[in-house]
Amino acid sequence: MDTTAISADSGADAPLLSVIIPALRVDLELRRCIDSVRLALPQPNQCEIVLVVPQAQVQAAGELHNVRAIAETRPSVYGAMNDGVAASRGDYLYFLGKDDILLPAAREVAVVLASTRPGILFTDVYWGDEGVRSGATSKWKILFRNVCQQGIVYSRANVARNGPFLRRLRVQADHLLNIKILWDAQRGPVRFVRKPLVWYAATGLSFTARDTTFYRVHPAIIRRHLGPLAAFAWRLYKKLRPDLPGS
């Protein structure tokens, strides 16, 4: 079991949003990502940037302008995300890959966060070279199909209650967390901003590896929420459609 601590107390002087960026090294791509965040959210009280890097990269990351750099405690992307959550102070949490670019819609998202205080917020994303992809979902849809992580902003309280990201799910720990939050009766309002928040590079783990652990437990998750008939039908459907993600 992953027992990473996730604090739910962000403090009175906390920024609105913590942008958490796990990275293996400090390079021009990471600098571009950070610059995009600073251009989209220039006010210091709006946003903090937390970089989670290997110990050997902490000094180089700390030399970047106006960021917080911490060393990862466990060498995995979800472990780094948990480390970033524990070190961050924002009321809301947002995760970027170092090859992603935050877009101007971030300002509108910040307004929605500050004015409506949602439990979770979904946005569209600009997906690689394919164009805009919708981030609209529901507690029913999320059981069967995940949405892009870079199109989600979480309240800290929801991550504290439903997290951490389980490291044994090497590709789809975010999918499980999204299911937990959307089916949580205490989650608070769900909001959608139907504009692309980020240009997503589409080079993440979910495109290069299969999460065999999630694949095994997925029918049990569906069974828990929808019953055994739905779980059986989904298992049969996945066998007939091996081209689907996770099949």
Short mmCIF file of all heavy atoms in Angstrom, two decimals, residues 31-54:
data_model
loop_
_atom_site.label_atom_id
_atom_site.label_comp_id
_atom_site.label_asym_id
_atom_site.label_seq_id
_atom_site.Cartn_x
_atom_site.Cartn_y
_atom_site.Cartn_z
N ARG A 31 12.08 24.50 -19.05
CA ARG A 31 12.05 25.96 -18.97
C ARG A 31 10.89 26.53 -19.79
O ARG A 31 10.23 27.48 -19.37
CB ARG A 31 13.38 26.54 -19.45
CG ARG A 31 14.55 26.21 -18.52
CD ARG A 31 15.87 26.65 -19.13
NE ARG A 31 17.00 26.20 -18.33
CZ ARG A 31 17.54 26.88 -17.34
NH1 ARG A 31 17.04 28.07 -17.01
NH2 ARG A 31 18.57 26.40 -16.66
N ARG A 32 10.63 25.95 -20.94
CA ARG A 32 9.51 26.40 -21.77
C ARG A 32 8.19 26.19 -21.04
O ARG A 32 7.31 27.05 -21.05
CB ARG A 32 9.51 25.63 -23.09
CG ARG A 32 8.39 26.02 -24.05
CD ARG A 32 8.33 25.10 -25.25
NE ARG A 32 7.91 23.75 -24.86
CZ ARG A 32 7.78 22.73 -25.71
NH1 ARG A 32 8.06 22.91 -27.00
NH2 ARG A 32 7.40 21.55 -25.29
N CYS A 33 8.04 25.03 -20.40
CA CYS A 33 6.82 24.74 -19.65
C CYS A 33 6.63 25.75 -18.52
O CYS A 33 5.53 26.30 -18.35
CB CYS A 33 6.90 23.32 -19.09
SG CYS A 33 5.46 22.83 -18.11
N ILE A 34 7.68 26.02 -17.77
CA ILE A 34 7.60 26.99 -16.67
C ILE A 34 7.26 28.38 -17.20
O ILE A 34 6.42 29.09 -16.62
CB ILE A 34 8.92 27.00 -15.88
CG1 ILE A 34 9.11 25.68 -15.15
CG2 ILE A 34 8.95 28.17 -14.89
CD1 ILE A 34 10.48 25.50 -14.56
N ASP A 35 7.89 28.78 -18.28
CA ASP A 35 7.60 30.09 -18.87
C ASP A 35 6.13 30.19 -19.26
O ASP A 35 5.49 31.24 -19.09
CB ASP A 35 8.48 30.34 -20.10
CG ASP A 35 9.92 30.67 -19.73
OD1 ASP A 35 10.17 30.98 -18.55
OD2 ASP A 35 10.78 30.61 -20.63
N SER A 36 5.57 29.11 -19.79
CA SER A 36 4.16 29.15 -20.21
C SER A 36 3.25 29.34 -18.99
O SER A 36 2.24 30.03 -19.09
CB SER A 36 3.79 27.87 -20.96
OG SER A 36 3.64 26.74 -20.10
N VAL A 37 3.61 28.74 -17.86
CA VAL A 37 2.81 28.92 -16.64
C VAL A 37 2.89 30.36 -16.16
O VAL A 37 1.87 30.99 -15.81
CB VAL A 37 3.29 27.96 -15.53
CG1 VAL A 37 2.53 28.22 -14.22
CG2 VAL A 37 3.11 26.51 -15.96
N ARG A 38 4.08 30.93 -16.17
CA ARG A 38 4.26 32.30 -15.70
C ARG A 38 3.57 33.31 -16.62
O ARG A 38 3.05 34.33 -16.15
CB ARG A 38 5.75 32.63 -15.58
CG ARG A 38 6.43 31.93 -14.43
CD ARG A 38 5.80 32.33 -13.12
NE ARG A 38 6.36 31.62 -11.98
CZ ARG A 38 5.70 31.36 -10.87
NH1 ARG A 38 4.42 31.73 -10.76
NH2 ARG A 38 6.27 30.74 -9.87
N LEU A 39 3.55 33.05 -17.90
CA LEU A 39 2.86 33.94 -18.83
C LEU A 39 1.34 33.84 -18.67
O LEU A 39 0.63 34.85 -18.75
CB LEU A 39 3.26 33.60 -20.26
CG LEU A 39 4.67 34.01 -20.68
CD1 LEU A 39 5.03 33.38 -22.02
CD2 LEU A 39 4.79 35.53 -20.76
N ALA A 40 0.85 32.63 -18.44
CA ALA A 40 -0.60 32.44 -18.32
C ALA A 40 -1.13 32.91 -16.97
O ALA A 40 -2.26 33.40 -16.88
CB ALA A 40 -0.95 30.97 -18.54
N LEU A 41 -0.32 32.74 -15.91
CA LEU A 41 -0.75 33.09 -14.55
C LEU A 41 0.34 33.95 -13.90
O LEU A 41 1.11 33.47 -13.06
CB LEU A 41 -0.99 31.83 -13.72
CG LEU A 41 -2.12 30.91 -14.22
CD1 LEU A 41 -2.08 29.57 -13.48
CD2 LEU A 41 -3.47 31.59 -14.03
N PRO A 42 0.40 35.22 -14.26
CA PRO A 42 1.52 36.06 -13.81
C PRO A 42 1.45 36.54 -12.37
O PRO A 42 2.46 36.97 -11.82
CB PRO A 42 1.45 37.25 -14.78
CG PRO A 42 0.02 37.33 -15.18
CD PRO A 42 -0.49 35.93 -15.21
N GLN A 43 0.28 36.49 -11.74
CA GLN A 43 0.16 37.01 -10.38
C GLN A 43 0.68 35.99 -9.37
O GLN A 43 0.20 34.85 -9.32
CB GLN A 43 -1.29 37.35 -10.07
CG GLN A 43 -1.88 38.42 -10.97
CD GLN A 43 -3.33 38.71 -10.65
OE1 GLN A 43 -3.78 38.49 -9.53
NE2 GLN A 43 -4.06 39.19 -11.64
N PRO A 44 1.63 36.37 -8.52
CA PRO A 44 2.24 35.42 -7.57
C PRO A 44 1.26 34.75 -6.64
O PRO A 44 1.42 33.58 -6.27
CB PRO A 44 3.24 36.29 -6.80
CG PRO A 44 3.52 37.46 -7.68
CD PRO A 44 2.25 37.70 -8.44
N ASN A 45 0.20 35.47 -6.21
CA ASN A 45 -0.76 34.88 -5.28
C ASN A 45 -1.71 33.90 -5.97
O ASN A 45 -2.45 33.18 -5.31
CB ASN A 45 -1.57 35.97 -4.58
CG ASN A 45 -2.44 36.77 -5.55
OD1 ASN A 45 -2.06 36.94 -6.71
ND2 ASN A 45 -3.57 37.25 -5.09
N GLN A 46 -1.69 33.87 -7.30
CA GLN A 46 -2.53 32.93 -8.03
C GLN A 46 -1.94 31.54 -8.07
O GLN A 46 -2.65 30.55 -8.02
CB GLN A 46 -2.73 33.41 -9.48
CG GLN A 46 -3.85 34.40 -9.68
CD GLN A 46 -4.10 34.61 -11.17
OE1 GLN A 46 -3.17 34.58 -11.99
NE2 GLN A 46 -5.34 34.82 -11.53
N CYS A 47 -0.62 31.46 -8.16
CA CYS A 47 -0.01 30.20 -8.57
C CYS A 47 1.38 30.03 -7.99
O CYS A 47 2.17 30.98 -7.98
CB CYS A 47 0.03 30.17 -10.10
SG CYS A 47 0.98 28.84 -10.82
N GLU A 48 1.68 28.83 -7.53
CA GLU A 48 3.06 28.43 -7.23
C GLU A 48 3.42 27.28 -8.15
O GLU A 48 2.55 26.51 -8.57
CB GLU A 48 3.21 28.00 -5.78
CG GLU A 48 2.48 26.72 -5.43
CD GLU A 48 2.84 26.16 -4.07
OE1 GLU A 48 3.76 26.70 -3.41
OE2 GLU A 48 2.19 25.17 -3.66
N ILE A 49 4.69 27.17 -8.48
CA ILE A 49 5.18 26.06 -9.30
C ILE A 49 6.07 25.19 -8.43
O ILE A 49 7.03 25.67 -7.82
CB ILE A 49 5.97 26.58 -10.52
CG1 ILE A 49 5.08 27.45 -11.40
CG2 ILE A 49 6.52 25.40 -11.31
CD1 ILE A 49 5.82 28.08 -12.56
N VAL A 50 5.73 23.91 -8.37
CA VAL A 50 6.50 22.95 -7.59
C VAL A 50 7.11 21.94 -8.56
O VAL A 50 6.38 21.21 -9.25
CB VAL A 50 5.63 22.23 -6.55
CG1 VAL A 50 6.45 21.21 -5.78
CG2 VAL A 50 4.98 23.23 -5.61
N LEU A 51 8.43 21.90 -8.62
CA LEU A 51 9.13 20.92 -9.46
C LEU A 51 9.56 19.74 -8.60
O LEU A 51 10.10 19.92 -7.50
CB LEU A 51 10.38 21.55 -10.09
CG LEU A 51 10.19 22.78 -10.96
CD1 LEU A 51 11.54 23.22 -11.53
CD2 LEU A 51 9.21 22.50 -12.08
N VAL A 52 9.31 18.55 -9.09
CA VAL A 52 9.74 17.33 -8.40
C VAL A 52 10.73 16.61 -9.30
O VAL A 52 10.37 16.16 -10.40
CB VAL A 52 8.55 16.42 -8.07
CG1 VAL A 52 9.00 15.26 -7.18
CG2 VAL A 52 7.43 17.20 -7.38
N VAL A 53 11.97 16.55 -8.86
CA VAL A 53 13.05 16.04 -9.70
C VAL A 53 13.91 15.07 -8.90
O VAL A 53 13.86 15.04 -7.67
CB VAL A 53 13.92 17.21 -10.22
CG1 VAL A 53 13.13 18.12 -11.13
CG2 VAL A 53 14.52 18.01 -9.05
N PRO A 54 14.74 14.26 -9.58
CA PRO A 54 15.69 13.42 -8.85
C PRO A 54 16.65 14.29 -8.02
O PRO A 54 16.90 15.45 -8.36
CB PRO A 54 16.43 12.69 -9.97
CG PRO A 54 15.49 12.70 -11.12
CD PRO A 54 14.76 14.00 -11.03
#
